[in-house]
């Protein structure tokens, strides 16, 4: 699960960096938590299970974001 966000200052950038451990939490839970966090930038580590299908699910869950699936398990 994601940690509680810290207070933001006006004009700040909200960033989430999450080691998703190859999706062990379950991609449904990952997508639910990411869409609820309202982050400007999201980095997923150990996203090896980030298949094109999961990429499409990320794009659907985060329509205002551009999704990149990077070789080596980053998204």
């Amino acid at each position: 699960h994601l940690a509680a966000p810290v207070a933001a200052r006006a004009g700040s950038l909200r960033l989430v960096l999450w080691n998703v451990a190859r999706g062990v939490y379950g991609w449904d839970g990952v997508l639910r938590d990411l869409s609820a966090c309202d982050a400007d930038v999201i980095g997923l580590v150990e996203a090896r299970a980030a298949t094109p299908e999961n990429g499409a699910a990320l794009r659907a869950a985060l329509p205002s974001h551009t999704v990149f699936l990077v070789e080596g398990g980053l998204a």
Side-chain angles (χ1 to χ4, degrees), residues 47-48 50 68-75:
R48 193 168 298 258
F68 298 96
L69 302 178
V70 182
E71 189 174 325
L74 300 174

Side-chain angles (χ1 to χ4, degrees), residues 20-68:
V20 295
R22 297 167 308 283
V24 72
Y25 175 53
W27 284 103
D28 290 339
V30 169
L31 295 174
R32 180 183 60 246
D33 286 358
L34 287 176
S35 63
C37 72
D38 191 32
D40 299 303
V41 178
I42 299 168
L44 302 179
V45 179
E46 286 193 25
R48 193 168 298 258
T51 63
E53 293 79 20
N54 287 337
L58 280 167
R59 289 177 183 91
L62 304 165
S64 64
H65 288 75
T66 301
V67 176
F68 298 96

